[in-house]
Amino acid sequence: MRAARLIKMVLLLQSRPSMTAAELARELEVSERTVTRDAQALSEAGVPVYADRGRAGGYRLIGGYRTRLTGLHRSEAEALFLSGVPGALREMGLEDAASAARLKVSAALLPSLRDASRTAAQRFHLDAPNWFKEPETPELLPVLADAVWDDRRITARYRRGEGEVKRELEPYGLVLKAGVWYLCARATPHGSHRTYRVYRIDRFTAVEAGAERFSRDEEFDLSGFWEERAEQFARSILRAEVVVRLSAEGVRRLSYAVDPLSAREALQGAGAPDADGWVTLTLPVESEEVAHTQLTALGPEVEVLAPEGLRERFAQDAARLAELYRRQQSAALHVRPIRPGPMLDP
């Protein structure tokens, strides 16, 4: 642990002109007293660490010292490519590896380029979870992440419906979608064709990684596989259809109210606007119940034409709203202000 911290300290000082004890303590997550002891240990080991005294003092390397400990380990190199998603790195247990990788790259760069990581961080940040939803890190995510990196077969228990199933899997990749983690894996039942499947990681109840590694199919494309499965899933749940009329504003807001795939296909098949500028289209939906919830968000910018049951529900909603506002308006008109009478002596 201390050896790794000493190396990190050298890399930090190599990447910057100087650092105060407080700055080093914050980066190394130790006390300033520990920083002082570590600097002394480095000096005794032949690393030219110099301490500047005074208010503007700090620690620096002298004599153009350059460490050769800048070779990246595999885990650090892999983590470096994910350094734009710090939350995901932290959840997978790779934050320390990414930090070490960035320091090694910074130490190997020319002085004029050493602020590249800072300037990049100033200009790009990825916030994956949805708005108004508190993200939860699955407890078993780090175990699965280790198995994915090492290509190790796992034995897992997975919640399905009201029960649990046991599966032997070859974990190929992890996907973070709108704050939810998924595992793309290949099932390994004996004597049958192995297929790739997608599992929600928060539904795993137990995961055990074995010592045996599997031979990865190098032609497997994680991003392409996920895109294909995501579209298949979206299509699979769109089992019903509704016919609606939309105003120009309704057309603009449609993809925010319903599934984007559904909105795109419906708009592609829509006809020309009518005399009032409204467009009639057939919209794939999950169910009438879901359609009622989604289309309500469009308010007066949508008219449901079919099915008749859904149209009747919207008509009832409209009648209830009209009555609600009519009563409120009527009550407001009948409230008369009380005028103060003449002041009387007691």
Side-chain angles (χ1 to χ4, degrees):
M1 177 65 74
R2 191 188 186 198
R5 188 175 71 242
L6 292 175
I7 292 173
K8 186 174 182 178
M9 184 174 180
V10 173
L11 292 171
L12 283 168
L13 293 174
Q14 186 172 310
S15 64
R16 307 179 192 181
S18 68
M19 295 183 69
T20 66
E23 290 172 337
L24 284 167
R26 186 167 56 252
E27 290 282 352
L28 299 173
E29 299 181 350
V30 296
S31 67
E32 293 186 30
R33 181 171 295 181
T34 299
V35 168
T36 301
R37 289 198 297 264
D38 286 352
Q40 180 66 30
L42 287 171
S43 181
E44 293 173 355
V47 179
V49 178
Y50 181 77
D52 290 317
R53 305 297 179 182
R55 191 168 185 175
Y59 292 91
R60 60 185 174 88
L61 295 174
I62 61 175
Y65 180 84
R66 304 279 297 176
T67 177
R68 296 182 180 180
L69 297 174
T70 54
L72 293 178
H73 298 300
R74 172 171 290 276
S75 63
E76 295 169 345
E78 291 169 335
L80 184 62
F81 286 102
L82 297 172
S83 58
V85 284
L89 282 170
R90 183 172 55 254
E91 293 176 5
M92 288 189 292
L94 293 173
E95 189 173 26
D96 290 342
S99 176
R102 286 192 294 268
L103 280 172
K104 289 182 178 181
V105 170
S106 179
L109 292 174
L110 294 173
S112 61
L113 299 177
R114 286 178 188 163
D115 65 342
S117 61
R118 178 181 61 82
T119 56
Q122 289 175 334
R123 290 162 174 79
F124 175 77
H125 174 70
L126 176 64
D127 186 7
N130 278 333
W131 286 103
F132 314 117
K133 183 178 180 181
E134 189 69 25
E136 296 183 2
T137 303
E139 182 179 351
L140 295 173
L141 175 60
V143 178
L144 287 167
D146 286 343
V148 169
W149 292 124
D150 292 341
D151 293 339
R152 293 188 182 276
R153 287 193 174 94
I154 62 172
T155 301
R157 299 194 68 84
Y158 185 81
R159 289 195 306 273
R160 190 172 68 181
E162 298 297 325
E164 286 187 353
V165 294
K166 185 178 180 180
R167 291 286 184 266
E168 292 184 1
L169 302 172
E170 295 176 349
Y172 263 69
L174 299 169
V175 175
L176 178 60
K177 169 71 171 178
V180 179
W181 283 96
Y182 296 88
L183 173 71
C184 299
R186 188 162 63 174
T188 60
H190 296 289
S192 64
H193 180 67
R194 296 183 296 178
T195 58
Y196 295 101
R197 300 182 184 275
V198 177
Y199 302 86
R200 274 187 63 139
I201 292 180
D202 57 8
R203 293 179 183 169
F204 281 100
T205 59
V207 174
E208 182 179 351
E212 182 183 4
R213 286 187 168 89
F214 63 90
S215 298
R216 175 178 287 268
D217 181 0
E218 296 301 330
E219 295 184 358
F220 177 76
D221 177 11
L222 179 60
S223 61
F225 169 76
W226 176 261
E227 184 177 354
E228 179 183 348
R229 285 303 175 91
E231 184 168 339
Q232 288 177 358
F233 173 75
R235 292 182 185 279
S236 69
I237 64 174
L238 301 177
R239 304 185 183 93
E241 290 183 344
V242 298
V243 181
V244 298
R245 287 179 71 236
L246 293 170
S247 67
E249 177 64 14
V251 169
R252 188 187 71 81
R253 290 163 47 187
L254 183 63
S255 61
Y256 298 99
V258 304
D259 180 81
L261 174 65
S262 172
R264 183 171 64 250
E265 292 189 351
L267 290 171
Q268 288 175 349
D274 59 21
D276 296 325
W278 287 53
V279 175
T280 299
L281 51 84
T282 300
L283 185 68
V285 295
E286 185 174 345
S287 65
E288 289 188 23
E289 186 68 31
V290 172
H292 178 258
T293 301
Q294 293 175 331
L295 295 176
T296 296
L298 297 179
E301 309 303 329
V302 61
E303 177 189 3
V304 175
L305 302 179
E308 186 59 34
L310 184 60
R311 178 179 173 84
E312 181 60 28
R313 289 187 65 176
F314 274 90
Q316 292 174 0
D317 290 346
R320 290 174 59 194
L321 282 171
E323 177 62 18
L324 176 63
Y325 284 101
R326 186 194 65 77
R327 289 202 310 267
Q328 291 178 348
Q329 185 176 20
S330 177
L333 292 174
H334 284 83
V335 173
R336 298 179 180 273
I338 300 176
R339 296 180 180 178
M343 297 295 293
L344 299 176
D345 291 332

